[in-house]
C-alpha cells in the first residue's frame, strides 16, 4: 500500500525506536531483511506459507551468535523457545529509551552536502538518529516531524536561496520539533515511572515550582497531567497528544495563575508554555512550621498513600532546591517502610519504633542532598570538585589523595547529572541508591 520507499522509511523509524541503543548498521541489516521478506511474500502469486517461513528464518538468524541484527539481553531466553512462541518473544523485545540525547542537528551546509552526495543514505541515517533519540514520542508526531524535516532539506538544498529557505522553514518547523522533544520527555517519564509514580513525581514538581499552591490543586493537576500521558503515549493511541497537552496547560494556567512566573509562561503559545513550565527552575522555599511525620493511624489509612503523599508535598515545598529525583527516591524508601509496618500485626508499634531513626535518616539525607546540589549550583564545576576533595579529606584524614579524588569524581558525576531540572529518573535512581547506602550511620539502615 505504501510502496517500498515509504515502507522502508517507516521500518527504520519503528525499529530505531524499538532498539534505541542499536547501531545504524544493525538497524540497516534488520530493515533490509524485513523489506526483503515483505516484498517477496506480499507479491502476487506468493506461496501461502511464504511469510511464515520467512519470519521463521529471520528468527533463526536472530538467534545466531553472529547475527548482524540489534543485540538485546533477552534474545538468549527467546531462543530457547521454538516456532511461533520464539517469534512472538523476539517481536516483543525492545531496548530501554535513551536518557541522554545524542542527536545533534547538522548545519545547513553539512545537511546539503550529505543530501547531495547520497540522498537515500542521508535520509535513512537521519530517520535512525532522530527516531532513536525520540523513541517515546507518539508515532504520529515522529512520523510528521521526520517527514517535515526531510521535506525541508530537499526543498532548501535544491533552492537558489538556500539560506533564506532554511530560515523560513526552520521557523515554521519549530513548534513541531518542540512538540517532538516535549512529548518524548514526558512520555519517557511515563514509561519509566508508571501512572501512580508519575502522579507523585508531578505533584513534587508543582510543589517546588509553586510552593504556595494548595495541595488539592497540585494533586488535581498531577492526576490530570498523568491521565493525559496515559491516554496519549500508548503505541496505538488515537488521542492527539498536542490537543491533550494544550488542554492540560490551560488547567495549569487557570489554577496556578496567581504565581507571576506561571502567568508569564501562560502568555506563550500552548507548546511554548509547556516548555516554559517544564523548564522553570524551582522557587525559593517558603517559611513554614516544622514538619512532623504523620501518625501511624493516618499513614495506614486506606487510600493509596494519601497521607504520605501529603507529607512529601510538604517536605518538597520546604526543600524546593532538592531535585525531584532525590525526593522520588526518598518517597520510594519511605513507602516501603510504611507498607511493611502497616501490614504487620501491630502497625502502631512498628512505626513508633522506627520513627526516631527514620526522622534522623530523612534529615541527614535531605541535608546531604541540599548541600550537594546547593554547592553544585553555586560554584563553578572546578571549584565545586575542589571543595568536594577538601570535604572528603577533612572528614577522613587517612584518605589518600587519589582516593579523595575518586570519591569527589563520583559525587561530582552524581551532581552534574541529577542536581539539574528534569534529571533522568532511571539513571539517577541507581546513583542515589548508592548515596543512601553510604549515608547510613546505623545498621541496619531503614531507608534503602
Amino acid at each position: 500500500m505504501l510502496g517500498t520507499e515509504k515502507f522502508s522509511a517507516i521500518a527504520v523509524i519503528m525499529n530505531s525506536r524499538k532498539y534505541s541503543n542499536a547501531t545504524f548498521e544493525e538497524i540497516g541489516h534488520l530493515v533490509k531483511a524485513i523489506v526483503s521478506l515483505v516484498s517477496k511474500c506480499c507479491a502476487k502469486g506468493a506461496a501461502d506459507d511464504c511469510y511464515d517461513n520467512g519470519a521463521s528464518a529471520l528468527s533463526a538468524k536472530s538467534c545466531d551468535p553472529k547475527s548482524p541484527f540489534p543485540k538485546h539481553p533477552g534474545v538468549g531466553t527467546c531462543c530457547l523457545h521454538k516456532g511461533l512462541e520464539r517469534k512472538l518473544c523476539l517481536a516483543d523485545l525492545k531496548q530501554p529509551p535513551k536518557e541522554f540525547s545524542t542527536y545533534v542537528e547538522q548545519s545547513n551546509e553539512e545537511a546539503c552536502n550529505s543530501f547531495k552526495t547520497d540522498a537515500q543514505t542521508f535520509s535513512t541515517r537521519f530517520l535512525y538518529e532522530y527516531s532513536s533519540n525520540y523513541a517515546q514520542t507518539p508515532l504520529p508526531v515522529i512520523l510528521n516531524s521526520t517527514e517535515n524535516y526531510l521535506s525541508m532539506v530537499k526543498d532548501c538544498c535544491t533552492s537558489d536561496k538556500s539560506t533564506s529557505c532554511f530560515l523560513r522553514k526552520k521557523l515554521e518547523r519549530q513548534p513541531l520539533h518542540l512538540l517532538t522533544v516535549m512529548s518524548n520527555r514526558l512520555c519517557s517519564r511515563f514509561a519509566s515511572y508508571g501512572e501512580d509514580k508519575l502522579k507523585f513525581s508531578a505533584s513534587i514538581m508543582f510543589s517546588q515550582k509553586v510552593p504556595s499552591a494548595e495541595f488539592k490543586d497540585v494533586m488535581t493537576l498531577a492526576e490530570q497531567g498523568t491521565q493525559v500521558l496515559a491516554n496519549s503515549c500508548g503505541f496505538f493511541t488515537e488521542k492527539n497528544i498536542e490537543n491533550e497537552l494544550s488542554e492540560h496547560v490551560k488547567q495549569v494556567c487557570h489554577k496556578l495563575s496567581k504565581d507571576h512566573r506561571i502567568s508569564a509562561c501562560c502568555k506563550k503559545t500552548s507548546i511554548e508554555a509547556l516548555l516554559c513550565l517544564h523548564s522553570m527552575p524551582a522557587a525559593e522555599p517558603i517559611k513554614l512550621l516544622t514538619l512532623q511525620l504523620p501518625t501511624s493511624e493516618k499513614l495506614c489509612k486506606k487510600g493509596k498513600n494519601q497521607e504520605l503523599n501529603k507529607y512529601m508535598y510538604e517536605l518538597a515545598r520546604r526543600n524546593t532546591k532538592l531535585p525531584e529525583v532525590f525526593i522520588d527516591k526518598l518517597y520510594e524508601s519511605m513507602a516501603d517502610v510504611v507498607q511493611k509496618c502497616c501490614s504487620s500485626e501491630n502497625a502502631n508499634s512498628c512505626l513508633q519504633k522506627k520513627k526516631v531513626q527514620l526522622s534522623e535518616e530523612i534529615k541527614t539525607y535531605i541535608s546531604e542532598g541540599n548541600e550537594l546540589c546547593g554547592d553544585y549550583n553555586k560554584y563553578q564545576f572546578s571549584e565545586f570538585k575542589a571543595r568536594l576533595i577538601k570535604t572528603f579529606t577533612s572528614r577522613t584524614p587517612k584518605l589518600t589523595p587519589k582516593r579523595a579524588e575518586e570519591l569527589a569524581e563520583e559525587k561530582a558525576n552524581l551532581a552534574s547529572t541529577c542536581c539539574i531540572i528534569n534529571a533522568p529518573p532511571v539513571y539517577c535512581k541507581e546513583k542515589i541508591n548508592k548515596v543512601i547506602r553510604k549515608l547510613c550511620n546505623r545498621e541496619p539502615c531503614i531507608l534503602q
Side-chain angles (χ1 to χ4, degrees):
M1 183 183 73
L2 294 170
T4 302
E5 189 177 333
K6 184 75 172 174
F7 179 84
S8 298
I10 291 178
V12 171
I13 291 170
M14 300 280 280
N15 285 285
S16 298
R17 285 158 59 86
K18 184 177 168 72
Y19 303 109
S20 56
N21 295 301
T23 66
F24 177 62
E25 289 72 24
E26 287 170 343
I27 294 296
H29 283 297
L30 182 58
V31 169
K32 187 178 179 181
I34 291 169
V35 173
S36 174
L37 171 66
V38 171
S39 61
K40 179 183 175 184
C41 298
C42 294
K44 285 183 180 179
D48 291 342
D49 60 355
C50 175
Y51 186 84
D52 190 46
N53 290 339
S56 295
L58 269 184
S59 68
K61 190 173 182 179
S62 297
C63 291
D64 187 331
K66 295 179 180 178
S67 169
F69 299 153
K71 307 297 181 287
H72 192 286
V75 169
T77 304
C78 289
C79 294
L80 296 175
H81 304 298
K82 292 182 179 179
L84 181 61
E85 194 174 356
R86 176 193 280 185
K87 284 184 277 191
L88 291 174
C89 181
L90 288 169
D92 198 43
L93 292 179
K94 59 182 178 181
Q95 295 172 346
K98 292 177 181 177
E99 285 203 283
F100 302 96
S101 178
T102 57
Y103 173 71
V104 179
E105 187 173 319
Q106 289 184 317
S107 68
N108 299 344
E109 187 179 356
E110 288 171 333
C112 286
N113 285 339
S114 299
F115 176 77
K116 289 173 182 176
T117 301
D118 187 338
Q120 184 59 56
T121 301
F122 167 79
S123 298
T124 305
R125 184 170 282 278
F126 164 74
L127 292 175
Y128 156 75
E129 290 181 351
Y130 199 78
S131 302
S132 63
N133 275 276
Y134 300 115
Q136 292 295 319
T137 298
L139 187 59
V141 177
I142 202 81
L143 288 173
N144 193 7
S145 190
T146 51
E147 187 176 340
N148 176 276
Y149 177 83
L150 290 174
S151 174
M152 174 185 72
V153 170
K154 183 180 179 182
D155 289 348
C156 294
C157 291
T158 55
S159 169
D160 294 334
K161 298 178 179 178
S162 176
T163 303
S164 59
C165 176
F166 271 116
L167 192 63
R168 186 184 77 257
K169 297 252 183 186
K170 283 190 175 182
L171 200 61
E172 292 171 357
R173 171 175 164 71
Q174 185 60 17
L176 180 55
H177 176 62
L178 199 53
L179 176 64
T180 307
V181 173
M182 287 306 300
S183 58
N184 178 70
R185 186 184 294 177
L186 294 169
C187 290
S188 290
R189 292 183 84 80
F190 183 81
S192 297
Y193 280 145
E195 202 164 329
D196 287 339
K197 187 75 185 295
L198 182 66
K199 196 183 299 178
F200 168 77
S201 176
S203 72
I204 296 305
M205 179 195 74
F206 283 122
S207 67
Q208 291 191 315
K209 294 185 179 191
V210 191
S212 59
E214 295 291 334
F215 177 68
K216 184 181 177 182
D217 287 340
V218 163
M219 290 311 297
T220 298
L221 292 172
E223 286 172 11
Q224 184 195 60
T226 304
Q227 195 56 51
V228 164
L229 299 181
N231 292 340
S232 310
C233 293
F235 192 80
F236 295 109
T237 182
E238 293 181 5
K239 294 278 186 179
N240 183 314
I241 193 166
E242 185 174 11
N243 293 342
E244 295 278 307
L245 288 173
S246 294
E247 284 302 312
H248 176 58
V249 167
K250 285 179 186 176
Q251 290 300 316
V252 173
C253 292
H254 172 67
K255 288 192 178 291
L256 304 180
S257 59
K258 290 179 182 178
D259 184 273
H260 73 279
R261 298 194 305 160
I262 296 286
S263 60
C265 283
C266 293
K267 290 173 183 174
K268 302 174 184 288
T269 62
S270 289
I271 192 65
E272 288 175 339
L274 179 65
L275 176 65
C276 181
L277 293 168
H278 212 251
S279 305
M280 183 187 291
E284 292 300 319
I286 56 177
K287 289 184 179 180
L288 296 161
L289 296 173
T290 304
L291 188 59
Q292 302 293 330
L293 277 167
T295 62
S296 56
E297 288 80 9
K298 286 183 177 180
L299 285 172
C300 294
K301 196 175 180 182
K302 290 182 180 178
K304 288 195 174 182
N305 291 341
Q306 180 76 356
E307 281 300 318
L308 187 56
N309 285 343
K310 192 169 184 179
Y311 173 79
M312 298 306 293
Y313 154 80
E314 293 291 351
L315 197 69
R317 66 185 189 139
R318 286 165 169 80
N319 296 276
T320 56
K321 302 299 183 179
L322 184 65
E324 176 201 326
V325 284
F326 283 79
I327 294 178
D328 281 335
K329 177 55 196 169
L330 182 60
Y331 171 79
E332 191 178 271
S333 298
M334 287 186 67
D336 187 53
V337 172
V338 169
Q339 191 273 326
K340 285 176 181 175
C341 275
C342 291
S343 59
S344 66
E345 288 184 10
N346 193 330
N348 186 54
S349 174
C350 176
L351 285 166
Q352 281 299 120
K353 284 179 183 177
K354 295 179 184 291
K355 204 168 186 179
V356 174
Q357 186 183 342
L358 188 58
S359 295
E360 287 178 6
E361 288 183 14
I362 291 170
K363 187 178 178 181
T364 303
Y365 174 78
I366 288 174
S367 175
E368 290 279 347
N370 277 330
E371 183 184 349
L372 178 70
C373 293
D375 282 356
Y376 175 75
N377 289 307
K378 184 177 179 181
Y379 300 104
Q380 296 246 343
F381 189 74
S382 56
E383 187 179 354
F384 167 69
K385 193 172 171 185
R387 287 174 65 87
L388 285 176
I389 294 172
K390 188 177 179 181
T391 300
F392 281 120
T393 305
S394 62
R395 286 181 182 175
T396 316
K398 291 183 180 179
L399 271 183
T400 64
K402 184 181 178 183
R403 183 55 182 154
E405 170 80 26
E406 288 172 352
L407 291 170
E409 182 68 38
E410 187 179 315
K411 246 191 174 174
N413 181 261
L414 168 68
S416 64
T417 314
C418 304
C419 288
I420 57 174
I421 297 173
N422 305 318
V426 177
Y427 177 86
C428 287
K429 180 180 176 181
E430 293 173 4
K431 290 283 182 183
I432 294 168
N433 278 342
K434 294 179 182 178
V435 173
I436 285 188
R437 286 194 287 270
K438 288 177 183 177
L439 284 178
C440 285
N441 295 320
R442 301 186 186 193
E443 289 294 337
C445 179
I446 294 178
L447 293 176
Q448 292 288 351

